[in-house]
Amino acid sequence: MPVDDRDHDHHRGHDPEDRFEERLGEALRHAGGAYETDRRALVAAGETRGHRLLLRRRAAVVGGVASVALVGLGGALLVPGGDDGRQSVATGAKTPVASATPKASYTGDQLIGILEKLLPRGEFGSAAARGTHEKLPPYAQVVYNDGKGRAAIAVSFDRVLPGSEQARQTVECPDKVLTPYDGCVVTRLSDGSALKIFQGYEYPDRRADTKLWTADLVTPRGQHVGVSEWNAAAEKDAPVSRAEPPLSPARLKTLVTAGAWLGVVDAIPVDPRAPTALPAQPSGIDGRAVTSTLVSLLPKGVKVVAKSGPDSGYGYVVLDDGKGRSLVQINVQPNMSDVEDQLFGAGTETLADGTKVVTHKKPGEKGGAGVVMWTADTIRTDGFRVVVSAFNSGSQVAAATRTTPALTTKQLRAIALSAKWRGLG
């Protein structure tokens, strides 16, 4: 989907490693129309909604995609005065405060200037940004060199709805089975804001040594600021230029909590379509019930060595039958009739009650060396879908630990067709 948004981006420098236009098109494909048109790939793989979704959404904000509402936390924000947000990253972090008189707008060049002033002394290369009153969300990204190698550093902004489910996901550490990382710490600041510092990788399958470290701040008022840094001059398609990103976790905290950023969030025009209240009841199927039901349907002789948390409608277990670890994941999804024709084509079996069943054996989709994915996909006549997949590794992004998954397609089929799932929907 070709997109030309150059009228909305401010560029300084011409580093060939910063191909923002290419990332814009990629981000739009992943976070825009592809979300609906490629639901098969998303739900068949059972991709969790947590940190990986947040990173995808952040990439969209930085690369040029419309903001996705994340969420804040309940409580009132204290607003002390006298902080213009221009403290150095080298100093201790200050509690973030909202500007009493926020600017009407910020240009992209102004955001670049603020970011450069907040970073420790160093050299700056190419930069790109978008202001607060343009069609797409504001962001700023610079190439920074502290003398130890060039690194991309980006900051993104959005306004979020306090109290919703995504608030928890924004500020919780991801599941290491799904997203390998080196470190993650979540803290609560004195004003009630939540802060997450994450140290991971641009590519979870480690096909390149590009590291990605992030900081996410969500205030009680719903202001969300995200900082990302890499040990390369661009997040993708650039060689690693240093052992680690330039900002330590402490400096990441100081940068993301700089008071100047909250004024940027306040300057983002309010979207009249954005929700202003939480839904009366949580939607979706309880992930804990999904996981416990899956465990109850496993054949004898396999040991559960890990399992998922309460992600709505999604569950997984890691099995060990003595022949190596094997990931099994499941999605339980009501009201999926709209994608039935896409999912159930050639090779589909229709049972006496109208339920459709199809099984697949194909390579894994997340990059783990030698990983295969065996799947049983089912849909009832009312659109109630259960899809379960097994892998010959304990993680999709890790190399295969065995020749085949711990469960056969026949066993996966029996699990997906169990009547127990109807009790969850």
Side-chain angles (χ1 to χ4, degrees), residues 77-78 85 95-99 102-103 106 157-159 191 193 217-219 221-225 256-268:
L77 178 67
L78 304 178
T95 300
V97 296
S99 172
K103 285 190 175 183
Y106 289 79
F157 313 91
D158 58 5
R159 182 181 293 109
D191 70 340
S193 297
L217 176 76
V218 178
T219 75
R221 287 178 51 199
Q223 299 152 303
H224 174 238
V225 181
V256 79
T257 58
W261 299 138
L262 299 185
V264 176
V265 178
D266 290 341
I268 300 173

Side-chain angles (χ1 to χ4, degrees), residues 265-283:
V265 178
D266 290 341
I268 300 173
V270 176
D271 184 351
R273 300 167 298 177
T276 58
L278 297 175
Q281 296 179 348
S283 60

